[in-house]
């Protein structure tokens, strides 16, 4: 029987794959998901396709995932890049060596995207991940980030996945669904059982002789056309059975696994020993080593029978020409069929043939029911892995150690430590699988910590608070410092979330006394202080540790980068807009180069809010989109959605794009909490007020901010820089002058600590004076406000309205020349950001010169949002690679949109486009 190289049917699937390859050659990326049950032929289809002439000239990046390697963070990505020349990888800091386990998956994905773009400069790329259901979570997220950002890339992604029970692994099922549904032009290739004629062809290829259709139909019905099942049964059938009109002694094993076991027993003893050794090894290995491990003196003839049976395959084109078990199902069935003593003996031999990480698997499998010495070694190795950021690997080693312990106390200690580490890093899918064992454990601090974290993950805050409180108290009695610190950090976070800032601050300070280096305790402390209306104290706390953070960055080993992000966010809330943006940008840059978490989703959201105030409105959607890319990829916090949807609604409203503004605002409100203390609800209230301001609807403005007025602390107070001027403006517009006077006085008082509000304070105090008929006071206030503008954090909209207000009172006083100068300054400022509603209102009753003639675009089509973003960044002098990094797209995508932009604008090159943008010609007439 010849199983090696058999391939039957699947011509329609091969044709679809060829079509996708042709599309990719023309710059149209594709994603193909090959689905089917185990043994249905997914891997065989992909092997045949990789040898197809349609792939000539493609660079193939391939990963073959294995269930035993799901613990290794970025293991699948490391496989994908393993064949890329080292000189090329040098350009990508996170890919040039072992990928740091702490690296955010979106950053790894972004660099993988740019790597594939660089490879496309020579030839199109295939990115193939086989058995993706076994890929580690970090690699899944990194690959998902790549696949959702393919636009004009010559890249064909092919993923194979075993048919899954959604109820058993809903997280993976949802991840794959989002991955495929989020990619345009994706193709699903479900593989089903072979038809009768195809089964007959498979039998003929395998046995070398044709069979009657009735025999093929019998086997098809019996196996549901599963190719692996068919070839397994063929080994059991006597030759004469295949030549008759029907099979009279068709074996009826209750499962494919039993059929494989029966097939194994039919092999000669040396061949069976070789198969068993290869199955235990579980990885390709040179034949001589496998033979030595199996105790087979002549492995080459022994291999022939295993090859003929289809249980093993030989890879002569690879270095060392290794052999391995053909299919994962066969491997599992063979291992389960080996007697326990022999299996342990083989594992003990395998330990010496594999790398140190895999060796642990074999050592554990070779051990007896208890092995206290090995348990101690496993626990020590788990601590090392945890220190290196390998959380899942650490947990696995501890769970193995638990199985080898002799006492319940030690078993539970390892179990709870493993689960607590997983919970601390939000691996809640795995935590949930361990939860029954945790609940059955004796009460202790770590058990309570886990239950608190699980409750918090489900949103049951009262339950989480109770468990965390128990964990804190129990940790003191047990003298468990690690759990005590984590319990206090977790408590501070929940208490901050519930608005109990004083208690949250106290819990965070307790954690820092126990561990001064715990950066998340400092995050919670500073956040609590900022929300408790003590932002200056929060910044002082951060200032104490910031020199150490920046020093570690200068030495190439940055730590606590997320503290720099937090400092930037608090500075933005206090009106230090430029400095806050710089802090966030530095934190993100360090994250990108060193692979450290930096709260980047919030960094981009906070940056977008500051850019709105400063008038960098072209940058707002870019920053918000980058944050949204991180959050939607599963690498950020859901709370960041409020920033990523709200802030773009501000610029859309300011430009009169009412439908887009409402759409963004609805998306933000869908994630709003029930309490106004929640930052999402606060941002939505501010967004409603900004939309009403753009429409000139003072009643709606006042209604929107009204719920924010009574807060003495929390998010409404923390974000007052965005809404205090709106409140005063609404009251003045409605003629509530007494209330407006109090609001303006409060604004002026606040502006002493938040300089960027001083422009608004001058403008609104002057407007209040105007409303009361005191034009002299209004003029003096406006002039003083313009003379004392704080730099560099001037709010563009406030300054433009202040300039216009001064022009108006000067015009009323007959000083038309001076008035015109301020009108022009205001108009130019508003035109720069295309604030059409404000321009229209400011123009009422005021003569304005006709707009200058503009160069008309060659193509009447307007620029898309993506083309506009790229053109804007060209105007800032960025290279294609830098633009790709800014927008989280590939350089190929940038090149594609640039060519379309040149054509639409009638331009020839990059320099002309840069001059076009810098000259202010990128107007609303060019946009989509």
């Amino acid at each position: 029987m010849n199983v090696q190289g058999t391939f039957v049917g699947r011509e329609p699937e091969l044709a679809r794959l060829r079509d996708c390859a042709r599309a990719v050659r023309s710059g149209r990326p594709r994603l193909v998901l090959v689905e089917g049950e185990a043994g249905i032929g997914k891997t065989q289809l992909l092997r045949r396709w990789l040898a197809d002439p349609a792939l000539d000239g493609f660079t193939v990046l391939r990963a073959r995932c294995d269930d035993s390697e799901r613990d290794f963070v970025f293991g699948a990505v490391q496989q994908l890049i393993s064949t890329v020349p080292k000189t090329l990888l040098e350009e990508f800091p996170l890919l040039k060596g072992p990928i740091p386990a702490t690296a955010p998956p979106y950053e790894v994905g972004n660099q993988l995207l740019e790597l594939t773009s660089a490879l496309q400069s020579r030839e199109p790329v295939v990115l193939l991940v086989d058995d993706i259901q076994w890929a580690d979570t970090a690699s899944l997220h990194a690959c998902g980030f790549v696949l959702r950002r393919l636009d004009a890339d010559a890249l064909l992604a092919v993923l194979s996945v075993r048919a899954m029970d959604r109820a058993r692994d809903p997280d993976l099922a949802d991840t794959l669904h989002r991955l495929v549904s989020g990619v345009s032009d994706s193709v699903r290739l479900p593989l089903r059982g072979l038809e009768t004629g195809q089964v007959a062809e498979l039998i003929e290829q395998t046995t070398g002789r044709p069979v009657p259709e009735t025999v093929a139909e019998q086997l098809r019905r019996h196996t549901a056309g599963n190719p692996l099942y068919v070839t397994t049964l063929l080994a059991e059938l006597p030759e004469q059975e295949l030549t008759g009109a029907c099979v009279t002694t068709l074996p009826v094993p209750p499962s494919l696994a039993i059929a494989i076991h029966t097939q194994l027993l039919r092999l000669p003893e040396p061949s069976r020993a070789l198969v068993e050794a290869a199955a235990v090894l579980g990885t390709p290995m040179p034949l001589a080593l496998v033979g030595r491990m199996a105790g087979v003196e002549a492995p080459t003839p022994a291999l022939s029978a295993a090859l003929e049976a289809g249980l093993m395959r030989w890879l002569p084109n690879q270095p060392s020409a290794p052999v391995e078990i053909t299919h994962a199902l066969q491997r599992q069935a063979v291992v389960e069929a080996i007697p326990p003593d022999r299996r342990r003996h083989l594992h003990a031999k395998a330990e010496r043939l594999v790398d140190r990480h895999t060796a642990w698997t074999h050592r554990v499998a070779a051990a007896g029911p208890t092995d206290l010495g090995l348990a101690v070694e496993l626990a020590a190795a788990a601590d090392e892995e945890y220190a290196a950021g390998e959380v899942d690997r650490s947990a696995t080693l501890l769970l193995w150690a638990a199985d080898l312990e002799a006492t319940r106390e030690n078993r539970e200690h390892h179990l709870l430590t493993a689960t607590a580490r997983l919970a601390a890093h939000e691996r809640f899918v795995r935590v949930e699988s361990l939860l029954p064992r945790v609940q059955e454990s004796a009460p202790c601090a770590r058990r309570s910590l886990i239950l608190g974290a699980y409750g918090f993950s489900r949103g049951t805050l009262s339950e989480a608070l109770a468990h965390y409180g128990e964990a804190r108290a129990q940790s003191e009695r047990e003298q468990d410092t690690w759990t005590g610190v984590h319990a206090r950090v977790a408590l501070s976070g929940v208490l901050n979330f519930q608005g109990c800032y004083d208690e949250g601050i106290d819990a965070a300070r307790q954690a820092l006394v126990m561990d001064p280096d715990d950066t998340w305790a400092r995050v919670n402390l500073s956040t609590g202080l900022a929300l408790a209306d003590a932002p200056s104290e929060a910044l002082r706390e951060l200032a104490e540790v910031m020199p150490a953070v920046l020093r570690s960055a200068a030495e190439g080993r940055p730590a606590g980068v997320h503290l720099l992000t937090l400092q930037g966010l608090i500075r933005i809330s206090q009106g230090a807009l430029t400095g806050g943006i710089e802090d966030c940008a530095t934190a993100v840059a360090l994250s990108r180069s060193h692979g450290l978490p930096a709260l980047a989703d919030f960094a981009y959201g906070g940056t977008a809010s500051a850019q709105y105030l400063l008038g960098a409105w072209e940058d707002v959607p870019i920053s918000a989109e980058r944050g949204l890319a991180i959050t939607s990829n599963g690498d950020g916090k859901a709370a960041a959605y409020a920033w990523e949807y709200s802030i773009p609604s501000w610029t859309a409203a300011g430009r009169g794009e009412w439908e887009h503004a409402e759409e963004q605002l609805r998306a933000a409100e869908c994630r709003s909490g029930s309490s106004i203390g929640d930052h999402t609800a606060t941002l939505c209230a501010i967004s409603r007020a900004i939309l009403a301001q753009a429409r000139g609807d003072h009643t709606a403005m006042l209604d929107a901010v009204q719920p924010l007025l009574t807060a003495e602390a929390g998010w409404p107070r923390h974000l007052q820089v965005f809404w205090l001027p709106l409140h005063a403006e609404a009251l003045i517009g409605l003629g509530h002058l007494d209330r407006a006077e109090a609001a303006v006085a409060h604004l002026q008082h606040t502006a002493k600590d938040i300089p960027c509000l001083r422009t608004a304070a001058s403008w609104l105090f002057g407007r209040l004076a105007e409303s009361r008929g005191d034009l002299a006071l209004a003029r003096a206030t406006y002039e003083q406000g313009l003379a004392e503008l704080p730099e560099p954090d001037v709010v563009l909209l406030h300054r433009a309205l202040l300039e216009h207000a001064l022009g108006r009172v000067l015009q009323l006083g007959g000083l038309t020349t001076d008035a015109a100068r301020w009108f022009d300054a205001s108009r130019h400022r508003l035109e720069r950001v295309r604030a059409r509603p404000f321009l229209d209102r400011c123009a009422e009753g005021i003569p304005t010169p006709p707009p200058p003639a503009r160069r008309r675009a060659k193509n009447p089509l307007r620029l898309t949002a993506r083309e506009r973003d790229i053109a804007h960044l060209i105007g800032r002098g960025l290279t294609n690679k830098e633009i790709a990094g800014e927008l989280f797209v590939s350089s190929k995508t940038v090149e594609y949109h640039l060519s379309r932009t040149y054509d639409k604008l009638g331009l020839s090159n990059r320099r002309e486009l840069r001059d076009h943008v810098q000259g202010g010609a990128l107007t609303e007439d060019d946009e989509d």
Side-chain angles (χ1 to χ4, degrees):
M1 188 169 74
N2 177 28
V3 177
Q4 297 298 306
T6 57
F7 183 79
V8 172
R10 311 305 185 202
E11 286 303 325
E13 290 82 2
L14 278 174
R16 291 291 299 278
L17 288 166
R18 293 187 191 108
D19 288 343
C20 290
R22 282 192 287 270
V24 166
R25 285 187 188 277
S26 62
R28 291 176 290 156
R30 289 291 186 273
L31 166 65
V32 181
L33 186 68
V34 181
E35 304 170 275
E37 65 180 9
I40 204 67
K42 301 182 294 298
T43 300
Q44 191 72 358
L45 168 67
L46 296 178
R47 285 178 189 149
R48 174 58 62 95
W49 175 64
L50 287 174
D52 195 282
L55 282 189
D56 288 349
F58 275 77
T59 295
V60 178
L61 306 181
R62 184 175 186 182
R64 188 176 69 169
C65 304
D66 189 276
D67 191 28
S68 65
E69 298 177 351
R70 294 180 73 173
D71 288 344
F72 293 100
V73 181
F74 296 117
V77 174
Q78 294 278 194
Q79 284 193 60
L80 287 172
I81 63 176
S82 61
T83 57
V84 176
K86 297 296 183 184
T87 52
L88 182 56
L89 290 178
E90 284 295 323
E91 300 178 26
F92 307 96
L94 298 182
L95 305 182
K96 64 182 181 181
I99 301 173
T102 55
Y106 78 90
E107 287 288 14
V108 174
N110 193 36
Q111 294 191 18
L112 180 60
L113 176 64
E114 192 55 33
L115 170 63
T116 62
S117 182
L119 290 169
Q120 290 168 48
S121 63
R122 291 172 285 185
E123 52 193 12
V125 174
V126 168
L127 192 152
L128 173 61
V129 184
D130 202 0
D131 280 326
I132 196 171
Q133 75 276 358
W134 288 328
D136 62 279
T137 302
S139 290
L140 271 177
H141 284 200
C143 290
F145 190 89
V146 172
L147 299 180
R148 281 188 286 271
R149 276 152 192 83
L150 301 177
D151 195 341
D153 296 79
L155 188 144
L156 173 54
V158 180
L159 317 174
S160 79
V161 61
R162 181 181 293 187
M164 295 178 299
D165 179 357
R166 182 182 180 87
R168 291 182 59 187
D169 201 342
D171 187 62
L172 175 61
D174 288 343
T175 298
L176 291 176
H177 173 74
R178 288 197 308 272
L179 192 153
V180 176
S181 62
V183 178
S184 59
D185 297 320
S186 61
V187 175
R188 302 187 83 127
L189 285 185
L191 296 190
R192 298 180 175 86
L194 300 177
E195 298 176 357
T196 300
Q198 294 169 333
V199 170
E201 185 181 351
L202 176 61
I203 295 172
E204 184 174 354
Q205 283 192 24
T206 303
T207 64
R209 63 185 64 193
V211 297
E213 183 177 346
T214 53
V215 172
E217 172 60 14
Q218 275 187 285
L219 283 173
R220 187 202 65 76
R221 285 201 311 269
H222 187 68
T223 64
N226 185 298
L228 180 61
Y229 206 168
V230 171
T231 55
T232 301
L233 290 184
L234 289 178
E236 296 187 55
L237 287 171
E239 184 176 315
Q240 60 272 18
E241 286 286 317
L242 296 174
T243 57
C246 65
V247 178
T248 58
T249 60
L250 184 68
V252 189
S255 70
L256 176 56
I258 294 177
I260 294 170
H261 184 202
T262 304
Q263 183 185 26
L264 178 68
L265 294 176
R266 291 177 178 272
L267 291 177
E269 177 58 33
S271 300
R272 183 162 67 248
L274 199 67
V275 170
E276 290 174 343
V280 167
L281 265 171
T283 187
M285 194 68 67
L287 177 60
L289 294 179
V290 179
R292 192 180 311 153
M293 174 180 162
V296 175
E297 294 183 0
T300 301
L303 176 64
S304 298
L307 293 175
E308 185 177 354
L311 287 171
M312 289 183 70
R313 67 188 188 108
W314 178 43
L315 308 171
N317 294 326
Q318 293 188 16
S320 77
V323 294
E324 65 176 352
I325 298 296
T326 303
H327 195 280
L329 273 180
Q330 294 171 318
R331 175 188 165 197
Q332 180 181 349
V334 170
V335 170
E336 291 175 354
I338 303 172
D341 287 344
R342 174 164 170 75
R343 187 162 61 228
R344 284 197 295 270
H345 175 71
L346 289 172
H347 276 296
K349 287 192 170 185
E351 175 198 339
R352 297 188 289 272
L353 301 179
V354 297
D355 63 79
R356 68 181 186 89
H357 291 292
T358 309
W360 286 116
T361 306
H362 294 295
R363 290 189 64 186
V364 170
T370 60
D371 190 328
L372 304 186
L374 181 55
V376 170
E377 291 185 59
L378 285 165
D383 290 344
E384 292 177 7
E385 297 286 358
Y386 188 67
E390 295 281 358
V391 179
D392 291 283
R393 183 63 179 164
S394 169
T396 295
L397 294 174
L398 281 171
L399 293 172
W400 287 345
D403 291 338
L404 296 174
E405 288 287 359
T407 67
R408 173 182 172 177
E409 181 182 3
N410 287 344
R411 286 195 297 271
E412 290 183 354
H413 175 75
H414 293 319
L415 164 69
L416 295 174
T417 300
T419 314
R421 288 176 176 178
L422 291 168
H425 291 268
E426 301 183 352
R427 308 290 206 271
F428 288 115
V429 172
R430 197 170 178 191
V431 167
E432 189 167 13
S433 69
L434 297 169
L435 203 61
R437 293 171 61 186
V438 170
Q439 291 170 329
E440 292 170 1
S441 300
C444 68
R446 294 196 180 185
R447 179 180 181 274
S448 296
L449 182 67
I450 295 162
L451 296 177
Y454 184 68
F456 185 73
S457 74
R458 294 183 302 155
T460 54
L461 298 188
S462 58
E463 177 185 331
L465 204 59
H467 284 304
Y468 284 145
E470 291 171 1
R472 177 170 60 178
Q474 290 164 330
S475 69
E476 292 175 359
R477 292 194 296 269
E478 297 166 16
Q479 297 185 334
D480 183 350
T481 302
W482 184 90
T483 304
V485 170
H486 280 74
R488 286 165 172 80
V489 172
L491 264 177
S492 66
V494 176
L495 290 166
N496 282 346
F497 192 88
Q498 292 188 320
C500 304
Y501 305 118
D502 290 341
E503 296 175 58
I505 290 167
D506 184 57
R509 289 197 188 282
Q510 291 177 25
L512 285 170
V513 169
M514 300 171 70
D515 183 0
D517 295 327
D518 192 297
T519 56
W520 289 107
R522 199 166 297 277
V523 165
N524 288 348
L525 170 61
S526 301
T527 302
L529 288 168
L531 293 175
D533 207 21
S536 298
E537 190 175 347
L539 290 173
R540 281 196 298 273
E541 287 283 347
L542 292 169
E544 288 181 10
V545 298
M546 208 49 63
V549 171
L550 297 176
R551 185 166 56 250
S552 68
E555 295 170 354
R557 47 179 185 80
V561 169
H562 45 291
L563 294 172
L564 187 56
T565 297
L566 181 60
Q567 176 176 278
L569 296 175
I570 296 175
R571 291 179 74 184
I572 288 170
S573 74
Q574 293 304 293
L577 307 176
T578 306
I581 289 174
E582 290 173 355
D583 283 346
C584 290
T586 302
V588 168
L590 290 171
S591 174
R592 173 163 297 176
S593 60
H594 293 83
L596 291 172
L599 296 173
D601 45 347
F602 287 103
Y604 288 124
T607 294
S609 70
Q611 289 167 336
Y612 167 79
L613 292 180
L614 291 171
W617 285 14
E618 293 292 345
D619 291 313
V620 169
I622 296 174
S623 296
E625 176 59 32
R626 293 181 80 182
L628 186 59
I630 296 168
T631 309
S632 60
N633 198 56
D635 301 330
K637 302 288 187 184
Y641 278 125
W643 296 90
E644 294 151 4
Y645 285 115
S646 290
I647 314 305
S649 79
W650 300 359
T651 52
R655 288 171 170 164
E657 299 164 1
W658 311 123
E659 185 176 343
H660 181 52
E662 290 278 8
E663 178 186 355
Q664 293 291 108
L665 186 48
R666 283 194 298 271
E669 288 177 335
C670 284
R671 294 166 171 83
S672 177
S674 58
S675 167
I676 197 62
D678 175 72
H679 89 287
T680 304
T682 303
L683 278 169
C684 289
I686 293 169
S687 301
R688 281 288 171 199
I690 288 174
L691 178 58
Q693 179 197 33
R695 284 175 164 157
D697 187 343
H698 295 110
T699 299
M701 284 175 70
L702 188 59
D703 289 344
V705 301
Q706 194 68 42
L708 308 178
L709 300 178
T710 57
E712 296 180 357
W715 286 101
R717 292 277 292 179
H718 185 61
L719 299 180
Q720 61 184 340
V721 67
F722 300 109
W723 66 265
L724 278 184
L726 299 172
H727 177 227
E729 180 184 353
L731 290 172
I732 295 170
L734 292 171
H736 302 327
L737 300 188
D738 289 341
R739 292 168 60 192
E741 183 175 357
V744 171
H746 178 58
L747 177 61
Q748 289 174 316
H749 176 75
T750 305
K752 293 177 182 178
D753 296 321
I754 304 179
C756 77
L757 289 178
R758 292 173 189 168
T759 306
S762 296
W763 165 52
L764 291 167
F765 185 82
R767 278 201 59 190
L768 183 60
E770 275 193 81
S771 299
R772 287 178 165 159
D774 192 341
L775 297 185
L777 177 59
R779 174 180 172 180
T781 301
Y782 295 148
E783 289 177 336
Q784 182 178 0
L786 287 168
E788 297 177 353
L789 284 172
E791 296 291 349
D793 295 320
V794 178
V795 177
L796 177 136
L797 201 55
H798 295 165
R799 170 151 188 174
L801 295 173
L802 176 58
E803 290 169 334
H804 181 270
L806 177 56
R808 186 176 59 248
V809 296
L810 291 173
Q811 184 185 51
L812 291 172
L815 301 173
T816 55
T817 302
D818 291 340
R821 179 166 60 87
W822 289 110
F823 285 146
D824 285 345
S826 174
R827 184 177 64 255
H828 290 321
R829 209 173 297 281
L830 294 172
E831 284 177 344
R832 180 164 65 83
V833 296
R834 309 196 319 280
R836 179 54 54 194
F838 296 94
L839 281 164
D840 291 343
R841 283 205 297 278
C842 288
E844 292 176 3
I846 298 172
T848 57
R854 298 192 183 277
R855 176 178 180 176
R856 296 195 58 81
K858 173 184 174 183
N859 192 321
L861 293 176
R862 296 173 176 178
L863 297 185
T864 65
R866 178 66 76 205
E867 290 163 353
R868 187 177 186 87
D869 289 343
I870 291 173
H872 170 64
L873 295 175
I874 289 288
R876 283 170 41 186
L878 272 65
T879 65
N880 283 7
K881 187 173 182 179
E882 290 169 338
I883 293 171
E886 283 287 309
L887 299 179
F888 286 157
V889 297
S890 69
S891 293
K892 281 288 182 183
T893 293
V894 175
E895 293 170 9
Y896 168 76
H897 287 297
L898 266 181
S899 65
R900 290 174 56 88
T901 301
Y902 292 152
D903 186 56
K904 288 181 179 182
L905 300 180
L907 304 174
S908 302
N909 54 50
R910 189 184 203 89
R911 180 184 57 76
E912 288 184 2
L913 177 58
R914 185 193 63 218
D915 294 344
H916 181 84
V917 174
Q918 292 178 348
L922 196 62
T923 68
E924 57 189 337
D925 294 330
D926 294 322
E927 82 173 343
D928 189 17

